[in-house]
Amino acid sequence: MTRVLPDSLATPARRGVAAARLGLDLAPLALRRPRLAVELARANRRDPRDPAMIPLLDRAIAVRPSRVLRQRRAELLATAGELSAAAAAWRDLGGAHPGATVAQRVRVLEGRLRETEVEPVWLPDLGPEVEPLAPASKRRILHVLKSAAPERWSGFTIRTLQDLRAQREAGLDPVVVTQLGWPREVGVTEVEPQSTFEGFQQWHLDRGPAYRPRSLPPDVALQDNAEAFMPVVREVRPAILHVHSGYRGGELVLAALALRKRFGIPVVYEVRGLFEAVWSSDPRYNESAELYRRRLAFETEVLHEVDGACVISEALLEEIVARGVDRSKLTLIPNGIDPSALDRAERDPVLRSQLGLDGRLVVGYLGNLDHWREGIDVLLRALAELRARGREDVAVLVVGDGTRRDEWERLARTLGLADRVRFTGRVPHEQVAQYYSQMDLFANPRVDERAARLITPLKPYEAMALGLPVLVSDLPALREIVDPPHRGAVAPPGDAAGLADAIARLLDDPAERARLGEAGRDWVRRERTWAANGARYRAAYERILGPLD
């Protein structure tokens, strides 16, 4: 059916914004009315960062190639992940309108392109010299990290700390170095070159408060890091450079490979996320843009280049093997739990009353609220579906904080669920078990996207260790945790009605919840402890170095 715009929307700008809101395709409209394209491109305030406006801008620029329109097009190309086209657009703009800002944009995009080169892989330049370095011990491992405890407590830093503990218990000698800019980025103003935390030596690289690595072209920041790592490597003399995923994936591996070229030290890459698909929150672009394709090719090539790799899920291991990486160089190092730190807590009736959960069955989530993949919106819509079916006895408890918390709280209010949903914000680590105890069912409703399909989150393991029944989205990485129906249940990802069905079935069956809770608890405490990872790491290193004794 053709949609007609009312005559009251007389101006081109108003007609264009209305068309966008009605879901009309603006590009054909602009082709018929070139002047309208100019007005729409100038007037669009609905979402000025929406790359869907690019065809409209192309038409508008053909009519009136103003600097404003050309700059907006260049910005949107970068937002859409089309790095080569964005760099070309900024260069063209700089030719007509030179300036420092345009030059900086071009240089940053060139850096992102250089960082993701694969034929051949680009490496920081540490000079032509070869400087063979004998290790202080075959057991000494230098961990190269983007961040670390105690300055930050997150899933990333907690896993790192637990694995350092496990390595020490396995007779290894782990040392930590963090990349340039840490821990200043979390507000630390006095950065000590070395510190000790829980007996682990930590090196911090610092160039003062004026140095802001996030503002630099990526290749420049990596060159700086590689140069800064050199004296640490000479001092520590490790047998292995163990690089953990950085902010964009395997970028720190490039610095480590440059160090391998200089010193002859093998490199192990621990893949802890799939960053090629999480650069954008827009599903139209995050798994199809040039940036995705470049990062995917880059990650694959890096996995071929390193001496060994550790992965955190079976699903991820199989994905990497499917890319042609030799299975023999891969080691599964799963997420885990510390049984001594996770004891069942008696449900505190005072806290329950404070949270407004008295008399309700509680579906809970605990974790990071930064990414849309977590599917908290799906959980809220499932609660709305249950309420529409007459279920007034169900509430949702969301424990944690992040950039999307406000958005999801607004959604709860819009759905009329303000009295049925509690967002607690961040809670002290020592109180986490008490918040878990308020839940009758733990849900991890991740949506179907690349990282969710292949990366196992940490929190379901914790919930299982505390005896909570776990309901997750039916995705490969999550299925391997719960092995339905043996130790958990699944629901279709992104399907609020399907999630509501699964929640209702479990809440109406206390015996099944108890069975799943006990089965999950027994399995995770037997098969998924952090301590067990020490032997796994040792085996990975011995495949490269030979026997460590």
Side-chain angles (χ1 to χ4, degrees):
M1 181 179 69
T2 303
R3 305 187 198 187
V4 179
L5 298 177
D7 292 336
S8 59
L9 296 174
T11 68
R14 287 185 178 178
R15 290 174 65 86
V17 172
R21 287 175 177 166
L22 288 172
L24 297 179
D25 189 343
L26 292 174
L29 183 65
L31 287 173
R32 294 195 302 271
R33 299 280 300 279
R35 297 288 177 183
L36 176 60
V38 175
E39 297 298 333
L40 293 178
R42 286 177 168 176
N44 179 38
R45 294 294 181 266
R46 180 178 60 90
D47 184 359
R49 297 174 300 170
D50 185 356
M53 294 293 292
I54 292 173
L56 185 66
L57 283 163
D58 287 340
R59 184 59 179 167
I61 290 168
V63 176
R64 186 173 299 169
S66 72
R67 176 175 182 171
V68 170
L69 295 180
R70 293 172 66 191
Q71 179 168 324
R72 186 179 297 179
R73 179 178 180 275
E75 290 168 345
L76 293 187
L77 284 167
T79 301
E82 300 301 328
L83 302 187
S84 298
W90 278 108
R91 288 191 199 99
D92 289 345
L93 186 63
H97 306 281
T101 299
V102 174
Q104 173 67 9
R105 294 290 188 96
V106 171
R107 184 63 187 86
V108 168
L109 286 164
E110 289 175 344
R112 295 176 78 184
L113 289 165
R114 185 169 293 121
E115 179 190 53
T116 52
E117 287 176 2
V118 295
E119 294 181 354
V121 170
W122 172 86
L123 294 180
D125 184 3
L126 297 181
E129 299 86 356
V130 176
E131 190 180 336
L133 194 65
S137 163
K138 290 179 73 174
R139 300 181 182 185
R140 181 163 293 177
I141 314 299
L142 182 59
H143 290 265
V144 181
L145 300 165
K146 64 181 180 181
S147 59
E151 292 86 6
R152 172 178 288 163
W153 293 99
S154 65
F156 182 93
T157 61
I158 290 170
R159 175 183 165 103
T160 299
L161 181 58
Q162 292 288 5
D163 285 337
L164 293 174
R165 292 167 177 167
Q167 288 195 7
R168 183 164 58 192
E169 289 298 312
L172 299 169
D173 179 19
V175 180
V176 166
V177 60
T178 50
Q179 70 178 53
L180 279 166
W182 182 265
R184 284 192 182 274
E185 69 178 69
V186 289
V188 176
T189 56
E190 299 296 328
V191 178
E192 296 295 329
Q194 294 186 51
S195 64
T196 301
F197 180 65
E198 289 199 7
F200 300 111
Q201 183 185 24
Q202 298 194 4
W203 292 72
H204 301 299
L205 310 176
D206 186 53
R207 294 193 174 181
Y211 183 80
R212 301 184 181 277
R214 299 288 187 96
S215 67
L216 296 173
D219 58 327
V220 173
L222 286 173
Q223 178 70 35
D224 290 348
N225 271 287
E227 293 172 1
F229 289 145
M230 288 180 69
V232 177
V233 171
R234 290 190 183 104
E235 179 76 16
V236 174
R237 291 167 51 212
I240 293 281
L241 291 169
H242 186 125
V243 185
H244 301 250
S245 294
Y247 290 108
R248 298 182 301 283
E251 73 271 13
L252 289 174
V253 177
L254 298 177
L257 290 173
L259 293 166
R260 182 181 71 178
K261 184 177 179 181
R262 175 75 180 235
F263 297 113
I265 304 171
V267 174
V268 170
Y269 175 26
E270 182 159 319
V271 186
R272 295 170 58 172
L274 290 174
F275 296 84
E276 65 265 18
V278 298
W279 62 274
S280 170
S281 62
D282 193 326
R284 293 173 297 175
Y285 310 106
N286 64 342
E287 293 187 34
S288 61
E290 180 195 13
L291 179 54
Y292 166 77
R293 298 190 300 272
R294 292 183 70 93
R295 282 190 174 177
L296 182 61
F298 163 76
E299 291 285 336
T300 301
E301 189 62 27
V302 161
L303 285 162
H304 280 92
E305 288 285 333
V306 296
D307 300 278
C310 301
V311 297
I312 68 172
S313 74
E314 294 171 4
L316 179 57
L317 189 148
E318 294 302 326
E319 152 75 12
I320 292 172
V321 170
R323 297 190 216 171
V325 178
D326 189 345
R327 186 184 293 268
S328 67
K329 70 164 32 176
L330 304 176
T331 303
L332 175 63
I333 312 282
N335 276 328
I337 55 105
D338 177 3
S340 66
L342 291 169
D343 291 323
R344 287 174 172 167
E346 292 295 324
R347 184 172 288 176
D348 182 353
V350 175
L351 177 59
R352 196 169 190 81
S353 180
Q354 290 173 346
L355 293 170
L357 302 176
D358 288 332
R360 303 223 175 107
L361 293 167
V362 177
V363 182
Y365 169 89
L366 190 150
N368 187 286
L369 302 183
D370 281 332
H371 202 280
W372 56 276
R373 91 165 62 89
E374 299 306 328
I376 304 304
D377 55 329
V378 182
L379 179 58
L380 296 177
R381 294 184 191 282
L383 178 60
E385 174 71 19
L386 289 169
R387 195 170 189 180
R389 298 175 188 178
R391 294 294 301 254
E392 297 289 342
D393 60 333
V394 183
V396 165
L397 175 64
V398 180
V399 182
D401 210 346
T403 56
R404 292 187 178 268
R405 178 184 169 187
D406 288 345
E407 172 189 334
W408 286 328
E409 285 187 318
R410 286 195 301 272
L411 176 61
R413 292 192 295 270
T414 299
L415 295 172
L417 302 174
D419 61 335
R420 293 291 188 272
V421 180
R422 293 292 177 267
F423 287 84
T424 68
R426 198 177 306 277
V427 301
H429 189 67
E430 62 273 12
Q431 296 179 21
V432 164
Q434 184 52 247
Y435 282 84
Y436 274 123
S437 75
Q438 302 297 329
M439 303 174 189
D440 298 288
L441 174 65
F442 181 86
N444 199 174
R446 286 187 160 186
V447 300
D448 186 5
E449 59 91 50
R450 185 172 175 77
R453 291 191 292 271
L454 299 174
I455 301 297
T456 50
L458 176 59
K459 297 308 179 183
Y461 290 116
E462 292 183 353
M464 293 169 81
L466 293 167
L468 270 174
V470 171
L471 170 64
V472 301
S473 293
D474 193 1
L475 298 168
L478 294 170
R479 284 185 68 90
E480 74 181 59
I481 297 175
V482 301
D483 188 24
H486 298 103
R487 53 179 181 264
V490 295
D495 182 347
L499 180 58
D501 292 340
I503 290 171
R505 283 195 300 271
L506 289 167
L507 292 184
D508 289 341
D509 192 344
E512 176 66 359
R513 294 204 313 273
R515 183 191 72 80
L516 292 176
E518 287 304 310
R521 188 173 191 270
D522 290 345
W523 176 79
V524 78
R525 288 173 175 263
R526 183 179 66 251
E527 302 289 343
R528 288 295 184 266
T529 63
W530 292 119
N533 282 348
R536 296 180 177 116
Y537 278 119
R538 185 171 177 128
Y541 300 148
E542 286 185 331
R543 280 199 289 272
I544 299 169
L545 301 173
L548 301 184
D549 293 324

